[in-house]
Amino acid sequence: MSDFEMMIYILQNGINEKVKKYKERKIVQMLERRMLKLQMDNESLKRAMEREIALACDEEEKKEYERRGIKIGEDRGEKKALKDCITFKYPKKDLNWVDDCNEVQCQMIKKLLFQDLSYEQFYENIQKYIA
């Protein structure tokens, strides 16, 4: 076998009895040293794998935080727009309660905005869904 073929055979089958006959060949000696070094360095390999896993988890965690941040930003933007609409219809009213509304409640607010209601009626109807 050529050195290249020997290298492929060793990589595929490891160093076995058939290969030990060719121990004087440089490729066999080199690959044997490399394999021993890898076996001795198994702890480093394990630590490197753990580090890679930790980095992958960190990256996934960052993406999740980013998704959450985008969702929070969208919710805040929607609530700000909703407050602006309510302020336009009912100026000079305290609207801090809108910040505590969930998605269903925000949908109800949007529906009630288009009805001809006084602020008190509007607020009472919303309170039914908030409480």
Side-chain angles (χ1 to χ4, degrees):
M1 283 195 270
S2 71
D3 284 350
F4 184 69
E5 292 169 329
M6 181 68 73
M7 181 178 70
I8 292 172
Y9 180 85
I10 291 171
L11 290 173
Q12 190 171 20
N13 302 307
I15 296 181
N16 57 25
E17 294 302 318
K18 184 177 179 184
V19 174
K20 287 183 181 178
K21 294 190 283 186
Y22 300 103
K23 206 131 174 123
E24 72 282 348
R25 292 182 68 180
K26 286 190 182 258
I27 190 72
V28 174
Q29 292 170 5
M30 186 217 30
L31 284 172
E32 189 174 31
R33 281 193 309 271
R34 298 276 170 123
M35 292 173 94
L36 284 172
K37 186 177 179 183
L38 275 175
Q39 288 171 352
M40 288 175 19
D41 208 25
N42 197 16
E43 191 61 34
S44 296
L45 183 62
K46 183 179 173 185
R47 284 194 303 267
M49 293 285 282
E50 289 171 354
R51 182 174 177 270
E52 288 296 318
I53 290 169
L55 288 174
C57 289
D58 286 346
E59 192 62 37
E60 210 37 57
E61 201 172 278
K62 286 177 189 175
K63 288 178 184 176
E64 180 59 30
Y65 281 127
E66 185 177 337
R67 283 190 287 269
R68 286 184 195 166
I70 290 171
K71 176 72 173 134
I72 290 169
E74 288 172 348
D75 290 346
R76 287 182 184 164
E78 182 179 340
K79 287 182 182 177
K80 169 124 177 51
L82 198 54
K83 280 173 124 177
D84 290 345
C85 290
I86 297 169
T87 303
F88 184 74
K89 187 170 183 179
Y90 306 109
K92 299 181 183 173
K93 300 291 181 182
D94 180 29
L95 302 176
N96 290 330
W97 55 269
V98 175
D99 294 328
D100 298 329
C101 293
N102 63 28
E103 195 172 320
V104 173
Q105 294 161 339
C106 288
Q107 292 297 325
M108 186 52 62
I109 291 170
K110 290 174 187 176
K111 288 179 183 178
L112 291 174
L113 269 176
F114 292 105
Q115 295 180 10
D116 191 23
L117 302 171
S118 69
Y119 180 75
E120 289 72 29
Q121 292 171 324
F122 172 76
Y123 186 73
E124 283 176 25
N125 283 329
I126 296 301
Q127 287 303 310
K128 292 177 190 175
Y129 292 97
I130 292 176

